[in-house]
Amino acid sequence: MGARTVDPELRPTNRRVESFSDGVFAIVITIMVLEVHIPDRLAFASDSVTLQRFGAGYLTYALSFFVIANLWVSHHYLIFTLSRPTRTTIWFNNLLLFCISSIPLATRFLGTHPLSSVAAAVYGSVGAASTAAFMLLRSHASRRSHNAAHRDIHHRILRKSAAFLAIYLASIPLAFVNVWLAWICFVSVPPMLVVPIIRAQIVTKGSPEDEHHDVEHSCP
């Protein structure tokens, strides 16, 4: 007997994975911005202490926003390479979403206590966990992909992601040496996220003329 074939309509696609993930990303960013409150006293008086507290909270929110936004962009392109996700794919993705959903907690903690070594260490730990979870998902995608260009993109971005993981991991002990060293680590990440753009030309066959299109990836 020949191998059983599965109706294409019964095979799971990446649509639900992407839709659920998009919802989590949107909720996480919404929760973070709702945690930012402008003190009423700043409207009618010059209060340097209150302004500093608000500035620390807003800066922490901005750092987290750009990190999450980059993760969302990278996730969008990564899921594109996983047209047929497996059960393992879904659980790797769930692990990533769990780590990302913890970012608002660490963001509020650090924003409320910007000079706390513990708060900085917690923020660095969550950043490291989110980066590591994304690397696990991307490693899985590189193994699942049958497209050589996609695999090359995954491998190149994984190497760059290792640098971000190292920065977040380094910020944890540095927070207890000098909290400003941890802040330097946090501030250095967002600019590095948007600088390198990886281009790969994909050739799609199956038509009289090959279709060429470019796939862009920011890292990680």
Side-chain angles (χ1 to χ4, degrees), residues 10-130:
L10 299 179
R11 296 176 181 172
T13 66
N14 58 13
R15 293 179 183 176
R16 291 197 65 189
V17 174
E18 187 172 22
S19 298
F20 178 65
S21 301
D22 286 348
V24 173
F25 277 104
I27 292 172
V28 166
I29 290 179
T30 301
I31 291 174
M32 285 200 312
V33 74
L34 291 177
E35 291 288 347
V36 180
H37 303 285
I38 302 178
D40 293 336
R41 66 177 63 185
L42 290 181
F44 304 102
S46 178
D47 188 331
S48 59
V49 175
T50 302
L51 182 60
Q52 290 175 5
R53 290 177 178 173
F54 169 72
Y58 192 77
L59 175 60
T60 310
Y61 160 74
L63 292 175
S64 297
F65 175 87
F66 284 110
V67 169
I68 293 174
N70 180 79
L71 289 173
W72 176 78
V73 172
S74 250
H75 186 273
H76 170 73
Y77 285 106
L78 187 152
I79 293 299
F80 166 77
T81 69
L82 289 170
S83 58
R84 298 294 181 184
T86 63
R87 188 179 184 87
T88 303
T89 305
I90 294 172
W91 279 107
F92 272 131
N93 190 70
N94 288 342
L95 174 62
L96 171 64
L97 297 180
F98 170 77
C99 294
I100 291 175
S101 67
S102 300
I103 293 179
L105 300 175
T107 299
R108 187 179 187 281
F109 191 26
L110 182 60
T112 305
H113 308 285
L115 300 181
S116 167
S117 297
V118 175
V122 169
Y123 189 87
S125 299
V126 172
S130 299

Side-chain angles (χ1 to χ4, degrees), residues 150-195:
H150 287 167
R151 288 196 302 272
D152 179 63
I153 289 174
H154 289 315
H155 292 157
R156 292 167 65 183
I157 296 178
L158 276 170
R159 290 193 292 268
K160 294 179 181 295
S161 299
F164 300 115
L165 179 60
I167 291 174
Y168 279 123
L169 288 175
S171 71
I172 300 172
L174 288 176
F176 296 98
V177 176
N178 188 322
V179 70
W180 292 113
L181 294 177
W183 270 97
I184 291 174
C185 292
F186 303 150
V187 173
S188 67
V189 171
M192 295 171 64
L193 293 173
V194 297
V195 172

